[in-house]
Amino acid sequence: MSLRPTLETRRAIPTLEGAGVKLHRAFGFQDPSELDPFLLFDDFRNERPEDFEKGFPWHPHRGIETITYVLEGTVEHGDSLGNTGTLGAGDVQWMTAGSGILHQEMPAGNARGQMHGFQLWGNLPSAQKMTAPRYQDVTSADIPVVTDDDGTRVKVITGNFWGKTGPVDGIAADPQYLDITVPAGVKKTFRIDTYRRAFAYIFQGAGAFADASAPSGVLLEKEVAGEEVNIRDLSGDRTLIRFGTGDEVTVQAGEEGVRFLLISGAPIEEPVAWHGPIVMNTRAELEQAFADLRNGKFIRPAH
């Protein structure tokens, strides 16, 4: 087994999106090869309705998939194909924009006025950029949860993990999307396919991810290939950890435990032409997409 090195640890950055929603962006609109096939990751979490209630009114997407995971509150959605629905706490929606879709996402708080969720953008390979749009709405009750003897708890949203298979399927990046809770003081190792790009995003508590390449730090009680493994200082809420190549990651939970998303996917390794909510392979394809928007040809009839 080989431990994945920690390439980067960074805090999510406060950002305004939609009609004025306050959120924190962990990555996006920078180097799309860093976490290929993933393009963007937002943490929308607010205690005050005025910080999110204007939502994300009608906007287009083409060439990507958006993955929305709600923890608190609800998100009402509607699209140009006539689909409507509401995501509640623990629910997931995986939208394949494909050839083009117009949709809106309008968040509402829970009984205490709080809203919390995540949105991840996954790229589509050139062969699937212009496929028919589709939605997968998954309720919390349909997402398997597996608990280990030490109290570690994993929600398997996509992919296979510890004998469970997530309910979302047919995704181009063939991702693994896990919501992991590790109890206070527990050290835990998780396997990841060697050929996938991977990142973790801490959103509750604090933890430290082992890093074989770190020059200094607290030592884990573990050896890999006969060498001691270093661990970085504890990382807390709204922290992104980007991993290098390997087939496992190890986390040491802090005094209050740690909850994080562990997400990995197969890189597409194709050129990216990206502007706003549309991601294609060439500048010409991008210009065509915006021309289609102007000319009323963005939404293609179903066959």
Side-chain angles (χ1 to χ4, degrees):
M1 301 298 172
S2 60
L3 187 70
R4 284 182 176 246
T6 299
L7 298 181
E8 182 181 18
T9 299
R10 66 174 180 244
R11 296 293 303 276
I13 299 172
T15 307
L16 277 177
E17 273 295 352
V21 177
K22 292 183 178 180
L23 51 81
H24 284 72
R25 178 159 293 156
F27 63 89
F29 297 104
Q30 295 169 325
D31 181 358
S33 68
E34 271 190 352
L35 284 165
D36 179 18
F38 306 114
L39 298 164
L40 175 146
F41 182 85
D42 285 342
D43 177 348
F44 50 97
R45 183 188 337 180
N46 290 294
E47 302 288 329
R48 305 187 311 162
E50 55 266 36
D51 290 337
F52 61 79
E53 60 190 0
K54 292 182 180 178
F56 306 90
W58 292 96
H59 58 280
H61 285 294
R62 177 180 282 182
I64 66 170
E65 300 182 285
T66 65
I67 305 94
T68 305
Y69 178 29
V70 177
L71 294 183
E72 296 287 348
T74 61
V75 176
E76 291 187 13
H77 65 89
D79 69 37
S80 52
L81 303 177
N83 299 305
T84 60
T86 301
L87 298 176
D91 295 348
V92 174
Q93 180 190 85
W94 205 295
M95 183 197 75
T96 303
S99 61
I101 202 165
L102 296 170
H103 78 156
Q104 66 173 352
E105 299 155 302
M106 305 304 290
N110 59 19
R112 298 181 300 280
Q114 300 166 321
M115 177 69 215
H116 189 193
F118 307 105
Q119 187 165 91
L120 174 69
W121 289 14
N123 199 5
L124 282 170
S126 58
Q128 297 182 39
K129 289 284 189 190
M130 299 300 287
T131 54
R134 72 166 182 153
Y135 279 89
Q136 294 183 70
D137 287 336
V138 179
T139 65
S140 178
D142 292 329
I143 299 174
V145 178
V146 59
T147 303
D148 207 0
D149 293 341
D150 58 12
T152 298
R153 181 176 181 269
V154 181
K155 292 181 67 176
V156 185
I157 295 169
T158 69
N160 301 303
F161 191 77
W162 286 357
K164 299 291 185 181
T165 300
V168 182
D169 61 5
I171 306 303
D174 188 26
Q176 187 178 64
Y177 191 130
L178 309 174
D179 177 352
I180 298 174
T181 303
V182 180
V186 171
K187 179 178 64 183
K188 200 71 176 175
T189 297
F190 303 94
R191 295 291 308 278
I192 301 177
D193 187 289
T194 306
Y195 301 101
R196 295 169 178 264
R197 299 270 168 78
F199 69 92
Y201 182 77
I202 296 174
F203 62 94
Q204 187 175 311
F209 285 88
D211 181 5
S213 67
S216 62
V218 181
L219 294 178
L220 277 174
E221 301 169 357
K222 178 179 179 180
E223 292 188 355
V224 173
E227 298 180 2
E228 289 181 321
V229 180
N230 289 313
I231 197 164
R232 295 187 187 276
D233 294 336
L234 290 179
S235 296
D237 186 23
R238 294 193 176 107
T239 301
L240 173 80
I241 300 96
R242 186 165 62 91
F243 300 109
T245 303
D247 54 20
E248 64 179 26
V249 299
T250 296
V251 65
Q252 172 73 55
E255 294 181 355
E256 298 179 357
V258 64
R259 187 176 178 186
F260 61 97
L261 303 178
L262 182 59
I263 300 175
S264 61
I268 295 172
E269 298 181 334
E270 292 180 352
V272 173
W274 182 1
H275 184 77
I278 297 175
V279 183
M280 305 302 289
N281 293 106
T282 68
R283 187 73 191 176
E285 291 171 340
L286 198 60
E287 291 172 352
Q288 183 62 55
F290 282 97
D292 288 347
L293 267 174
R294 292 192 300 271
N295 300 329
K297 298 179 180 179
F298 192 77
I299 306 303
R300 310 214 166 185
H303 295 291

